[in-house]
Each structure stands twice: as structure tokens, then as C-alpha cells.
Amino acid sequence: MDQRPLLNKNISIKDFEEFYWLKKELQDFCKSNELPTLGSKIEIANRIKSYLKTGEILKIQTRKKSNSKFDWVHSTLSRKTRITDNYRNTENVRSFFEK
């Protein structure tokens, strides 16, 4: 098995993609290279890959704010409940589907 390389700006794209990185490791890399640290693990990894390829820092893509005020955590759900733009797979939703 190959030894895991250091995660720094000199790592090859191939090595970066072949090894498993914890989200904290990715965020630490971002901090030390002045990249944004917010987002999911996949978003951060994609930002790092882009940085390693181009040397450019990608801006964080802002998410569109939802218009719906429907409460997926507490509202009573039925077969007529419409999926809204703020849908979340909550415990309430999972319980509804199990029933």
C-alpha cells in the first residue's frame, strides 16, 4: 500500500484524488492557503483540486434562499403535502414514510 502523502500545495492531483482526507484536513489546507473553508466536504475538495490545477482561489457559491416557510421538522405530513424548495429529509419525514 502506498504511503499517504502530505496534504500541501505541492501534492499532485493524482495523489490528492487517490487518498482519503478528513474534512478537518481539507479545511486546514484551505486555512493555510487562504482558501474558503466553508461548505461540504465535496465542495471543499473540489475547491482544493481547482486550486492545485490552476493556483486560483474559487469563490464560494452562495445558495439561493428558499421561499417556502414550510416546517419539515414539526408540520403534520400527509399524502397531499407538497415538496417545497426548503425540503429537508428530517426525522419527521422519515417517520411519515415508515408509516
Side-chain angles (χ1 to χ4, degrees):
M1 181 173 211
D2 292 341
Q3 185 170 350
R4 193 164 167 236
L6 291 175
L7 180 55
N8 60 34
K9 65 182 180 180
N10 299 319
I11 191 172
S12 71
I13 299 290
K14 182 180 180 290
D15 282 345
F16 178 74
E17 290 176 336
E18 283 185 2
F19 289 89
Y20 179 84
W21 306 100
L22 297 173
K23 184 174 181 179
K24 177 157 180 13
E25 292 173 305
L26 299 176
Q27 289 172 320
D28 289 345
F29 174 90
C30 288
K31 286 176 189 172
S32 65
N33 290 281
E34 299 181 11
L35 296 163
T37 60
L38 298 175
S40 69
K41 184 176 175 183
I42 292 171
E43 291 169 329
I44 295 169
N46 287 337
R47 195 174 306 129
I48 291 171
K49 278 192 264 189
S50 176
Y51 176 74
L52 293 172
K53 287 179 185 176
T54 67
E56 295 180 18
I57 298 173
L58 293 179
K59 303 256 187 218
I60 293 178
Q61 302 250 335
T62 56
R63 294 185 179 144
K64 182 183 172 195
K65 186 166 175 115
S66 65
N67 296 323
S68 177
K69 303 288 186 223
F70 189 82
D71 182 0
W72 289 97
V73 174
H74 300 103
S75 293
T76 301
L77 305 176
S78 74
R79 290 182 177 206
K80 294 184 180 185
T81 301
R82 291 185 173 243
I83 303 298
T84 62
D85 63 349
N86 70 333
Y87 173 80
R88 298 289 177 265
N89 192 21
T90 64
E91 186 62 36
N92 187 33
V93 172
R94 287 188 291 277
S95 293
F96 169 75
F97 282 119
E98 285 176 2
K99 290 177 188 174

